[in-house]
Amino acid sequence: MTKQQMAYLACTAVVVASGVGAALPANHPSVHLVRPGESIQKAVDSAKRGDTVVVSPGTYHESVRITVSDLTLRGASARSTVIVPGTATGDACAKAGNGICVTGTDSSPVRNVTVASLTLRGFSKQGLWASGTDRLTVRRVTSEKNGQWGLASERSVRSVFVHNTAKDNGDAGLFVSNTIGTEEGARDTKGTVLAHNYLSGNRIGITVRRLRNLTVARNEATGNCTAVFVVGDENKPRVGDLSVRRNYIHANNKSCPKTARLPALQGSGIVLTGAEDTRVTHNRVEDNVGTSPLSGGIVLFKSFVGALSERNVVRDNVVLRNGPSDIANRDTGKDNRFRGNTCKVSEPAGMC
């Protein structure tokens, strides 16, 4: 090889190496740090897929809308990073009265978004609202004193809500639904999981409305009017194919007045209305006492639009000191099975 050829190859190597080095930052995920006094929304708007927005300790007065996939929004901790309503009402999330909005569509869902380690407080509607998402993860978020739902989603699949706290919200602490805007049958969530959450002081701890293929596991609910409410109606497919297991549900004896949709609530542990093929297993349900039609430890109730609960299995639960009954089948649906439960009082008698 001549000296001229060697020089050419060396020069080419430098050019190629320089090109690779220049290309890397364009594809490398970035971290956007937000400090007190700065805008979280501005950092989210500048982020690209794969990026992380880290919010420093402090109180931030704004709403935040996320519409890009593969984004992580993370605070320092739920105790130290707090988002409360701001004065600006320009974007759709703030106008709706929500704290954080993660929004896509049925045809173009927002995918793989994570919201973690922060507090959402005092919004007139939802602390967090998600619609049209795939693989949303919400973890170690505290949502408190919001007007309607603490953490809520619709039209979403494969969601994971874990290790969150929802307390003192106007309706459900954790609300998941097929859709809130139209009448339709239950949607398949493709494996959504609600686990290890703490629900307290809400009207309802967890509401699962018109969904299928979902797990509610290892949550603690106390001090709500109703702990867990699985809601179905006459639309098809029906709510069902759910697992409600290994939850600790105790003393949900807050009193809530009736609404246009529901009677007054108090003392309800796990309530199924219009549900099918749901498995309620290995839960501990204690000291839930009230006089509502839905009161009791584990209650099957014919929905208010006439949909029956059918083929549900309630087994291997510890259900004690609930009133008027530990286990109550107030439905006329067929093939509901109760076995292996530890309880004292049932409706009808003989199920303990």
Side-chain angles (χ1 to χ4, degrees), residues 139-344:
R139 67 171 183 265
R140 301 194 186 281
V141 170
T142 294
S143 192
E144 61 186 13
K145 299 180 180 178
N146 299 292
Q148 190 173 14
W149 303 317
L151 306 169
S153 73
E154 65 158 6
R155 300 177 176 270
S156 296
V157 295
R158 291 179 282 251
S159 303
V160 177
F161 290 84
V162 290
H163 295 290
N164 302 293
T165 296
K167 58 184 182 180
D168 302 327
N169 296 287
D171 191 46
L174 182 47
F175 175 90
V176 288
S177 175
N178 58 348
T179 174
I180 64 168
T182 59
E183 288 292 328
E184 63 174 42
R187 292 193 179 204
D188 186 340
T189 73
K190 301 182 181 180
T192 285
V193 174
L194 318 177
H196 297 283
N197 300 290
Y198 179 75
L199 303 312
S200 178
N202 308 286
R203 181 178 177 84
I204 301 170
I206 295 174
T207 297
V208 177
R209 192 173 82 176
R210 303 175 191 166
L211 291 174
R212 299 183 67 83
N213 189 6
L214 181 144
T215 297
V216 180
R218 298 184 183 276
N219 302 283
E220 181 179 358
T222 186
N224 308 284
C225 304
T226 297
V228 177
F229 198 3
V230 178
V231 185
D233 59 20
E234 73 278 15
N235 291 296
K236 294 183 180 181
R238 297 171 62 193
V239 63
D241 190 22
L242 307 173
S243 176
V244 181
R245 67 175 186 266
R246 298 191 183 280
N247 299 283
Y248 179 34
I249 293 169
H250 57 106
N252 292 278
N253 298 324
K254 180 181 175 182
S255 180
C256 294
K258 68 178 182 179
T259 66
R261 299 178 65 92
L262 290 174
L265 299 176
Q266 184 185 33
S268 299
I270 299 171
V271 178
L272 274 60
T273 69
E276 64 181 19
D277 302 309
T278 294
R279 301 165 299 283
V280 181
T281 62
H282 299 285
N283 299 282
R284 191 169 191 92
V285 185
E286 300 173 329
D287 303 306
N288 305 281
V289 179
T291 58
S292 165
L294 304 179
S295 295
I298 300 175
V299 178
L300 268 63
F301 195 86
K302 184 177 179 180
S303 81
F304 294 99
V305 294
L308 301 177
S309 293
E310 298 178 318
R311 301 185 306 281
N312 299 291
V313 175
V314 179
R315 64 174 177 82
D316 300 324
N317 302 281
V318 175
V319 197
L320 296 171
R321 301 181 304 278
N322 302 280
S325 300
D326 293 317
I327 294 178
N329 185 3
R330 300 175 188 146
D331 203 323
T332 57
K334 297 179 180 179
D335 300 321
N336 295 301
R337 291 175 289 167
F338 302 81
R339 65 175 186 266
N341 300 292
T342 300
C343 60
K344 295 293 185 182

Side-chain angles (χ1 to χ4, degrees), residues 41-53:
Q41 187 66 63
K42 184 176 180 180
V44 168
D45 290 344
S46 66
K48 297 179 175 58
R49 296 183 68 150
D51 286 0
T52 298
V53 175

